[in-house]
Amino acid sequence: MILTETYTEENQLVASLIKKDKAAFEYLYDNYKAALFGIISRMIQPDEAAEDVLQDVFIKVYHNIEKFDATKGKLYTWLLNVTRNYCIDKIRSSDIKNQNKNRSIDDLVPVINNQLFTGISVDHIGLRKLVNSLVPEQREIIERMYFEGYTQTEVAEVMNIPLGTVKTRARAAILKLRTLFDTP
Amino acid sequence: MNTNEYIASGVLELYALGALSSLEMKEVEANLLLYPELQEELDQILLGLEAYATVHAKEPSPALKDKIFSKLSFEENNQKQEAPKIKAQISEPEVKIIPLQPRYLTAVRWLSAACIALLFTSGFLLFQNSTYKSTINDLASQLETKDKEYADLKVKFTSSEHLLAEVQKPETHKILLNSKTGKADEMAVIFMNVKTVDVMVYTNQLASLPANEQYQLWALVDGKPMDMGVFDSNDSLQSTKKFPELMQAQAFAITIEQKGGSPTPTLEKMVVFGAI
């Protein structure tokens, strides 16, 4: 995340958020809305429902920003996790689950949106290529865990593979994603 | 701990993806504190996942921002004003953050991590101990079997050695008894010491017999068959009866007789025959 002059350090931004500073929350919204909405709309459809969820998530962040621990990880990671966990809880406790049940594995292929998150300085075409270069089994594991909140045991059952294979495939997939940041 | 193996296992990836149980997560968190290289690896993994999220980025409708902000209340941008904090109109339950816990652990958390580690270690040691015990039992029974095999072999070897010693004596004659039934591989060998008149018969190339039958060895002395004793099939080496007339024997023969033997040979059941 590249921060503008307003918040040269993430902890400055966080400090302002904790003070319930409006400008800080506007900054937060403007910079992270696309990333968070992308995750949500991947998990919850239609888009109107996804927007309701983004609103819920943002209100959650507003109330719980004090719980963010900068020593543990970056704000972006925290926001992604708050979002994912909220969606997973929602999916598991509602009918949305049933609507999503009939999706085939092909549907799990991420929809690449042109409105890429602007804060990140990576080649967009390279990104797309990379995500598409994940083999289907790797992608399914990541999607099941990341977007559907499956545990390793659940993934092993659904895909009918041993637990050890779940681990190694998850690792192989993320290693591939990591090369995004290794290439200049 | 071998951190390379730990990293290669993929457990950090599952942690980052939130796919571990809460117990497994606590273990990972304890390890993250103990080994900085694990934390570095996790940071890289999280970067990879951020990239994944970024690939999925999508703009919500522009109207949403106002809708959300109308539901929140903010402090006036006045730094001195600590006064009554206005809470948001919508009160939400606490956020449940699954994968990321505060980096610090309090003493209690350290202790619980240590307890868990201890529990795992003692469980592992118990398990290992029982494995060792069963291995020892296995080895003991294997040793017993080998002991028996060794004793059997020793008996066989002693008798072979005895045979070899006898056979090598110049006064021991070897008489081949060939098949009379047409089966080429059916044969027996007689070793006779012409000085002591000890006779041994080597019969492990004779077929097995039913339980009610036995082989009987005969010596032909001056055209008369003399009973040399009975033996079961596949007894490789038999000492037989001995008597001085054997010095004049012209031939040996083996017949199949009822168990216990017969006073006279049943010639149609002659198996092998050999002249001296």
Side-chain angles (χ1 to χ4, degrees):
Chain A
M1 187 67 223
I2 295 163
L3 295 164
T4 63
E5 290 157 15
T6 324
Y7 305 102
T8 50
E9 297 277 346
E10 196 167 271
N11 55 12
Q12 281 181 5
L13 171 62
V14 173
S16 302
L17 291 172
I18 289 171
K19 281 186 207 149
K20 307 289 186 234
D21 178 89
K22 191 177 182 186
F25 275 97
E26 286 190 337
Y27 177 90
L28 189 75
Y29 183 83
D30 291 342
N31 281 280
Y32 293 95
K33 64 177 189 296
L36 302 187
F37 187 65
I39 298 276
I40 296 165
S41 64
R42 175 64 191 72
M43 297 168 83
I44 288 165
Q45 277 298 319
D47 274 7
E48 294 73 48
E51 290 195 347
D52 287 346
V53 170
L54 178 57
Q55 174 175 306
D56 293 347
V57 166
F58 204 75
I59 291 169
K60 264 186 186 300
V61 169
Y62 172 91
H63 284 290
N64 292 282
I65 186 67
E66 294 88 349
K67 294 199 172 70
F68 166 68
D69 181 358
T71 61
K72 184 68 199 175
K74 298 197 307 172
L75 184 61
Y76 188 16
T77 304
W78 185 75
L79 291 171
L80 290 176
N81 283 319
V82 170
T83 305
R84 270 192 329 114
N85 292 329
Y86 184 85
C87 291
I88 289 162
D89 285 350
K90 199 161 176 72
I91 289 167
R92 297 204 160 180
S93 64
S94 78
D95 290 334
I96 294 174
K97 189 176 188 175
N98 299 327
Q99 289 170 25
N100 286 353
K101 245 181 189 168
N102 296 325
R103 279 184 309 174
S104 73
I105 291 169
D106 288 341
D107 294 335
L108 291 174
V109 174
V111 179
I112 310 299
N113 197 289
N114 283 329
Q115 291 169 310
L116 280 167
F117 190 39
T118 47
I120 214 146
S121 56
V122 248
D123 167 33
H124 295 177
I125 297 162
L127 266 179
R128 259 178 262 171
K129 253 192 196 163
L130 237 137
V131 170
N132 288 329
S133 73
L134 290 181
V135 295
E137 295 81 31
Q138 292 174 346
R139 184 150 54 200
E140 188 182 351
I141 281 185
I142 299 297
E143 303 252 333
R144 294 259 189 225
M145 288 181 177
Y146 199 69
F147 291 125
E148 296 175 35
Y150 278 48
T151 64
Q152 55 172 338
T153 321
E154 287 167 336
V155 169
E157 276 169 17
V158 162
M159 297 182 71
N160 196 23
I161 51 175
L163 273 181
T165 311
V166 174
K167 280 203 191 80
T168 48
R169 280 194 195 160
R171 172 150 177 86
I174 293 179
L175 277 176
K176 216 167 224 178
L177 294 175
R178 282 164 60 177
T179 59
L180 288 177
F181 291 90
D182 295 341
T183 45
Chain B
M1 182 174 77
N2 184 332
T3 50
N4 287 333
E5 272 177 24
Y6 193 79
I7 286 169
S9 78
V11 69
L12 292 177
E13 278 81 0
L14 295 190
Y15 175 77
L17 285 162
L20 294 178
S21 71
S22 56
L23 186 68
E24 291 167 323
M25 266 168 50
K26 291 221 157 58
E27 245 193 295
V28 170
E29 279 159 11
N31 286 328
L32 286 173
L33 283 171
L34 289 171
Y35 305 97
E37 60 267 41
L38 296 185
Q39 184 64 49
E40 277 169 36
E41 179 74 11
L42 180 64
D43 290 343
Q44 293 302 310
I45 290 166
L46 290 173
L47 277 180
L49 283 180
E50 282 177 14
Y52 201 56
T54 304
V55 169
H56 292 82
K58 185 176 173 182
E59 290 289 336
S61 66
L64 186 64
K65 185 177 178 181
D66 286 344
K67 197 179 156 199
I68 291 174
F69 278 74
S70 73
K71 293 194 157 65
L72 302 173
S73 58
F74 298 97
E75 290 291 322
E76 289 304 310
N77 203 0
N78 183 341
Q79 303 206 331
K80 287 282 168 192
Q81 202 170 347
E82 289 281 314
K85 253 189 185 174
I86 305 154
K87 288 283 168 185
Q89 291 150 10
I90 296 165
S91 160
E92 287 284 329
E94 286 200 342
V95 176
K96 197 174 124 213
I97 303 159
I98 295 173
L100 291 175
Q101 302 277 333
R103 182 174 280 181
Y104 64 87
L105 284 180
T106 62
V108 174
R109 296 190 66 195
W110 268 109
L111 274 176
S112 65
C115 284
I116 289 163
L118 207 66
L119 202 68
F120 274 105
T121 313
S122 60
F124 175 71
L125 287 177
L126 259 176
F127 167 75
Q128 223 180 19
N129 191 29
S130 73
T131 312
Y132 286 152
K133 266 187 191 158
S134 76
T135 309
I136 287 171
N137 285 339
D138 285 354
L139 287 175
S141 76
Q142 275 178 29
L143 192 65
E144 211 173 308
T145 316
K146 295 285 172 205
D147 272 352
K148 264 185 208 150
E149 281 175 18
Y150 173 72
D152 289 352
L153 283 173
K154 201 171 164 186
V155 169
K156 276 186 188 162
F157 179 73
T158 311
S159 79
S160 299
E161 222 175 17
H162 175 64
L163 173 66
L164 196 62
E166 285 300 314
V167 166
Q168 280 173 337
K169 289 177 184 166
E171 61 267 32
T172 298
H173 291 192
K174 177 184 174 190
I175 304 134
L176 278 179
L177 309 189
N178 290 313
S179 176
K180 299 302 279 183
T181 60
K183 293 178 201 155
D185 55 349
E186 196 170 50
M187 61 171 287
V189 184
I190 299 272
F191 297 102
M192 185 168 83
N193 184 316
V194 293
K195 277 188 185 160
T196 62
V197 210
D198 281 320
V199 175
M200 289 182 298
V201 58
Y202 189 69
T203 61
N204 73 344
Q205 296 205 55
L206 294 181
S208 300
L209 289 180
N212 60 342
E213 289 181 330
Q214 277 184 310
Y215 287 110
Q216 190 164 4
L217 177 66
W218 306 90
L220 283 175
V221 182
D222 293 332
K224 276 193 287 182
M226 296 179 73
D227 173 26
M228 297 282 292
V230 293
F231 46 89
D232 293 312
S233 52
N234 290 328
D235 286 347
S236 60
L237 190 67
Q238 299 282 327
S239 286
T240 67
K241 294 177 181 174
K242 62 182 237 181
F243 26 82
E245 293 92 330
L246 279 176
M247 297 299 287
Q248 281 81 47
Q250 294 96 40
F252 288 96
I254 294 175
T255 59
I256 296 173
E257 304 294 346
Q258 289 301 305
K259 196 173 175 77
S262 161
T264 53
T266 313
L267 290 175
E268 55 273 25
K269 285 208 157 183
M270 190 191 290
V271 185
V272 289
F273 177 88
I276 296 170

